[in-house]
Amino acid sequence: MTDKHYRLGCDIGGTFTDFVLLNDRTGRIQTDKRLTTPHDPSEAVGKGIKALGASSPDFVAKLDELIHGTTLVINSIIERKGARTGLITTKGFRDVLEIGRELRYAPYDIFAEFPEPLIPRRYRIEVDERVRSDGSILKALDPEEARRAVLTLLGMDVESIAVCLINSFENPSHEFMLRDIIAREAPDISVSISYHVLPQIKEYERTSTTVTNAYVKPLTGRYLSNLAHRLEHIGFKGKLFIMLSSGGVTSVETAAEFPVRIIESGPTAAVIAGQYYGRHFNVSEMFCFDMGGTTAKSCLIQKGVAGIVPTFEVGRVQRFMKGSGLTIQVPVVDLMEIGAGGGSIAKVSKLGTLQVGPESSGAVPGPICYGRRGTDPCVTDADLLLGYLDENYFLGGKMKLDKESARRGVEEKIAGPLGVSFIQAVWGIHDLINETMAAAAKTHIAEKGGNPGVVTIAAFGGAGPVHAYGLAKKLGVPRMMVPPNSGVGSAMGFFTAPRAFDLLRSHKVSLNNVVFNEIEGIFRGLEEDASQILRKEEEEEVILYERSLDMRFVGQGAEINIPLPAGDFAKFQRTDIRRHFDDVYKKLYGRTYPDSEVEFINFKVRASLPERLLQLPRIDKKKGQTLDAAIKRQRLAYSPITRAFIPFTVYDRYKLFPGAEFTGPAIIEEKESTLIVGEGGRISTDEFGFLWIDIRGV
């Protein structure tokens, strides 16, 4: 019988790397937070594990799983630090990355910019081949021409090659030929073929996604290899999992092969944690708000479920303008970037107004108060100067903040140039970032048909609880929830994520002409592929499969997803499938068209292993324990209601007990984050240590 009863969650963010160590036997949770080491993110991982080992010396040898999320992939795309990549495509499709969908995100802006393709045009090579839409070959690929194309790219010293040929999702034989030639000519080079990355209709999305995968594959492979070696060096012999953007976790081998699937791995975990907490407390409508040092993300959970979308954008030229980024077609939790983080830089704009973000100071140099040679005032500097943060208790006292330097920075770069008072400057920075996030959040909630008046905000991240109360008031949200260890919420979320993987295949056929046995064959093929991926993680566990269809009316350009009940597809009736389609279509658009023909586009499978749920530990009230014992002191902090600094009562979160109730103005401190509650807000603590803040009537 194994003695491995520890699990470790590790989330590498742009500013901090978070750790949560869970003892499955006792339920004990330990946390740690380290500044990220951008030159080698695995260095911060090693430091955090060493720090946790100080209080649990034996945990590495008894560590069963290490679940990991990272922003490395998305940052390498945004910063253009990926591999020199080449593309082999069908003759006539060399410029598909620029052509895209032929849509302008700002049709009336003649100066609108678009993101530069990850692969410059000179690194894109065409081959004269053609596969029809039904998979039959119109023009066969000449092996010698294919070899010349490969040698041309190798002569340009590419580090990675993407292969994306027209209609290869129906017949990948030419892509397989190119893959085999590359393996013979350059066995060590990284290769991504679209049939494996995204066997889906829509040429631009498939090419863009395959190119992105190829662009980050060498970097991701090296990083995961370095991480594995570092973990091996410190004695780790358990299983290493990586968080997927879709909300599941997968093996390190799968993540290295398909790094495009882990682009949003870190922020996704906080949403999965929020979904788990919502189900636990029967809170079906929740707005997850995760604000860290670099970015802030949100997700609206409706009826207890976080939505999954099939596509998203990376590296937008205009941050909130849909269509201004690189399109990635992989399943991802429906996140929205709603602002910036604690490291967002405040400056005077060209128009002479205050601007906060989107540029971030990151981990190096960071905000001025970090004392790491930062010179630009940031949101964290303003939060400190407003009295919301304690310069002597940041990260539990491990990191001393420089309040005076932050004050000088704000006075010299914001207050002076704008001609406003110091207080107006620091409150302006804090309130403007809240206003920016609230405006984006209102749009996000409205687009999903949600109502801010019935949702509960769940705050995560080091800066999330600092700003959540102000955000909630601007949105008109009646209640907030702040879980224990909220500052490392993403790392906690890893323990609530299923071990799952999503696959799809495109095959366009009308409902009237479909052969149901053929469709069952497609589904079983996808399930077999998913099984091979998941079997790398657990050999004996039962795999659960969920099937769905992407369907549309014939002639439409967009499709809707239709979940399927369990069972052999060959035994379904056409009328059953049509009824499912009409039900979903009417729910979305209010009506359907019974006489119009419908067609299948994509066939999807989500394969998952049984959940290994997190058991929330209860906290006990000790005999004679009173609320007064949890009070640390009083601290002057800024009140926007009185427009002055007033006394806030500071509480030690670790000394709060079940049933404790008090009102704001209050500051509740824990090592990784600080919760700010204004006048009139009512705070209560439940048996699991969750803080519930009632804002109604404030």
Side-chain angles (χ1 to χ4, degrees):
M1 183 178 176
T2 180
D3 191 36
K4 293 184 176 181
H5 54 272
Y6 283 98
R7 285 189 282 165
L8 178 64
C10 173
D11 176 39
I12 299 180
T15 305
F16 286 100
T17 298
D18 300 339
F19 302 86
V20 176
L21 179 63
L22 171 66
N23 186 327
D24 276 327
R25 186 171 294 171
T26 66
R28 183 190 179 200
I29 292 175
Q30 296 170 253
T31 65
D32 194 69
K33 205 175 185 80
R34 301 272 147 182
L35 280 169
T36 296
T37 48
H39 62 282
D40 180 7
S42 68
E43 182 180 319
V45 176
K47 290 179 179 178
I49 291 176
K50 184 178 179 181
L52 290 168
S55 54
S56 299
D58 62 338
F59 92 87
V60 174
K62 298 178 181 179
L63 192 56
D64 183 31
E65 294 179 354
L66 193 158
I67 311 170
H68 174 47
T70 179
T71 58
L72 174 74
V73 176
I74 191 169
N75 287 345
S76 66
I77 297 170
I78 294 171
E79 298 168 8
R80 299 304 171 100
K81 293 181 179 179
R84 182 186 296 113
T85 306
L87 169 66
I88 299 178
T89 189
T90 302
K91 184 178 180 181
F93 288 84
R94 185 183 185 185
D95 298 314
V96 71
L97 294 177
E98 282 95 352
I99 295 171
R101 280 280 164 210
E102 296 185 312
L103 296 173
R104 294 181 63 85
Y105 66 88
Y108 302 111
D109 183 359
I110 61 173
F111 300 108
E113 298 180 9
F114 290 84
E116 285 293 320
L118 296 177
I119 301 180
R121 195 172 191 271
R122 65 182 180 278
Y123 292 110
R124 301 178 223 152
I125 307 299
E126 296 179 339
V127 289
D128 193 7
E129 64 83 43
R130 190 73 181 206
V131 173
R132 294 185 177 93
S133 60
D134 62 359
S136 60
I137 295 176
L138 178 64
K139 185 166 187 178
L141 175 60
D142 178 20
E144 186 55 36
E145 182 188 2
R147 182 172 176 273
R148 286 197 302 270
V150 171
L151 292 176
T152 299
L153 286 178
L154 295 177
M156 302 169 85
D157 295 324
V158 297
E159 304 166 85
S160 184
I161 297 177
V163 179
C164 188
L165 305 179
I166 185 73
N167 292 324
S168 61
F169 56 86
E170 287 285 10
N171 182 350
S173 59
H174 291 170
E175 288 195 351
F176 288 166
M177 180 193 299
L178 284 160
R179 178 200 60 186
D180 295 341
I181 291 171
I182 295 169
R184 288 196 301 270
E185 299 294 338
D188 296 328
I189 204 164
S190 173
V191 181
S192 297
I193 67 170
S194 73
Y195 185 75
H196 287 157
V197 176
L198 186 70
Q200 183 176 342
I201 199 169
K202 295 185 179 178
E203 214 57 34
Y204 165 62
E205 287 84 351
R206 186 160 58 93
T207 306
S208 179
T209 305
T210 305
V211 162
T212 303
N213 195 79
Y215 183 73
V216 297
K217 193 173 179 179
L219 174 72
T220 307
R222 288 193 297 270
Y223 164 68
L224 292 175
S225 177
N226 289 342
L227 177 62
H229 288 147
R230 191 179 289 272
L231 294 173
E232 184 180 351
H233 180 71
I234 63 177
F236 173 64
K237 296 181 180 179
K239 299 183 286 290
L240 177 60
F241 293 120
I242 309 296
M243 186 80 191
L244 292 165
S245 302
S246 59
V249 294
T250 192
S251 67
V252 67
E253 294 85 4
T254 302
E257 183 66 23
F258 304 110
V260 73
R261 295 286 193 114
I262 63 171
I263 284 180
E264 293 279 17
S265 68
T268 295
V271 174
I272 300 304
Q275 180 177 266
Y276 174 74
Y277 296 148
R279 291 174 178 172
H280 187 274
F281 293 109
N282 196 29
V283 179
S284 61
E285 305 295 313
M286 183 179 288
F287 185 74
C288 285
F289 170 57
D290 180 16
M291 184 176 181
T294 305
T295 59
K297 299 288 181 77
S298 74
C299 178
L300 182 64
I301 295 175
Q302 296 176 289
K303 296 182 179 179
V305 178
I308 304 291
V309 292
T311 183
F312 66 108
E313 293 180 12
V314 176
R316 285 178 173 172
V317 176
Q318 298 293 329
R319 191 163 196 168
F320 300 115
M321 296 286 288
K322 184 178 180 181
S324 68
L326 301 171
T327 300
I328 310 293
Q329 188 92 11
V330 294
V332 60
V333 170
D334 192 6
L335 288 165
M336 180 178 183
E337 187 171 331
I338 59 170
S344 295
I345 295 172
K347 61 184 179 182
V348 178
S349 71
K350 295 178 181 179
L351 298 176
T353 58
L354 177 63
Q355 178 180 331
V356 184
E359 293 86 7
S360 173
S361 61
V364 180
I368 297 173
C369 62
Y370 284 8
R372 298 167 67 89
R373 299 182 181 179
T375 58
D376 294 314
C378 300
V379 172
T380 298
D381 295 310
D383 292 343
L384 173 64
L385 294 168
L386 289 167
Y388 299 152
L389 302 179
D390 185 345
E391 66 265 36
N392 297 311
Y393 193 68
F394 196 71
L395 297 186
K398 289 189 299 186
M399 186 174 173
K400 169 76 173 177
L401 299 182
D402 187 347
K403 194 170 185 177
E404 289 309 311
S405 294
R407 182 185 298 275
R408 286 194 301 271
V410 172
E411 288 175 341
E412 293 172 4
K413 294 200 171 186
I414 304 298
L418 288 176
V420 299
S421 69
F422 169 75
I423 294 302
Q424 287 176 312
V426 290
W427 174 250
I429 294 170
H430 177 94
D431 194 50
L432 180 56
I433 201 70
N434 284 354
E435 192 64 51
T436 301
M437 293 188 292
K442 286 177 182 176
T443 302
H444 180 63
I445 294 172
E447 286 177 345
K448 303 301 174 186
N451 177 5
V454 300
V455 304
T456 297
I457 285 184
F460 298 94
V466 179
H467 289 262
Y469 185 82
L471 177 66
K473 289 188 68 177
K474 290 180 182 295
L475 290 175
V477 169
R479 189 171 64 160
M480 287 168 47
M481 179 266 283
V482 183
N485 309 304
S486 58
V488 290
S490 287
M492 281 290 293
F494 296 146
F495 302 132
T496 65
R499 290 162 292 171
F501 201 76
D502 297 271
L503 290 174
L504 66 79
R505 183 186 160 191
S506 288
H507 177 61
K508 184 179 174 183
V509 59
S510 70
L511 177 59
N512 291 339
N513 297 325
V514 70
V515 178
F516 278 45
N517 281 325
E518 290 182 3
I519 303 307
E520 177 63 20
I522 292 175
F523 276 127
R524 293 201 174 180
L526 290 170
E527 290 171 354
E528 180 60 32
D529 291 343
S531 172
Q532 292 178 12
I533 291 171
L534 292 181
R535 292 296 181 203
K536 297 175 183 177
E537 301 163 14
E538 295 289 346
E539 293 294 332
E540 300 177 359
E541 291 195 67
V542 175
I543 297 178
L544 308 174
Y545 299 105
E546 298 174 43
R547 296 176 174 184
S548 66
L549 302 164
D550 282 349
M551 297 179 65
R552 67 188 184 190
F553 287 110
V554 173
Q556 277 190 320
E559 50 276 348
I560 61 175
N561 186 254
I562 314 297
L564 288 177
D568 187 340
F569 192 83
K571 296 180 180 179
F572 289 169
Q573 301 295 318
R574 282 180 170 79
T575 53
D576 295 332
I577 301 299
R578 180 61 197 249
R579 186 178 66 255
H580 285 311
F581 173 84
D582 286 334
D583 289 345
V584 174
Y585 199 91
K586 275 194 284 190
K587 183 179 178 182
L588 288 171
Y589 303 111
R591 61 168 299 179
T592 188
Y593 305 92
D595 297 330
S596 297
E597 191 175 0
V598 298
E599 61 185 356
F600 301 113
I601 301 297
N602 300 315
F603 302 89
K604 299 181 176 181
V605 165
R606 181 178 179 86
S608 58
L609 294 169
E611 292 185 355
R612 187 176 177 179
L613 293 177
L614 169 68
Q615 298 298 320
L616 296 178
R618 286 179 165 83
I619 60 172
D620 298 318
K621 182 178 181 180
K622 298 175 183 177
K623 188 175 181 180
Q625 192 174 10
T626 64
L627 189 60
D628 288 343
I631 297 177
K632 299 172 76 170
R633 62 190 168 281
Q634 296 247 316
R635 184 164 79 232
L636 291 177
Y638 187 76
S639 164
I641 295 176
T642 62
R643 298 186 181 182
F645 281 83
I646 65 172
F648 277 62
T649 304
V650 182
Y651 294 86
D652 183 342
R653 180 162 187 175
Y654 303 109
K655 293 183 180 179
L656 294 175
F657 50 87
E661 293 186 3
F662 50 99
T663 59
I667 298 174
I668 301 95
E669 294 181 337
E670 56 184 330
K671 289 188 298 182
E672 298 85 12
S673 64
T674 301
L675 170 62
I676 308 299
V677 178
E679 299 95 312
R682 300 190 60 84
I683 306 106
S684 61
T685 309
D686 68 16
E687 60 181 324
F688 299 100
F690 283 67
L691 297 177
W692 299 87
I693 299 89
D694 191 345
I695 312 173
R696 284 170 291 198
V698 176

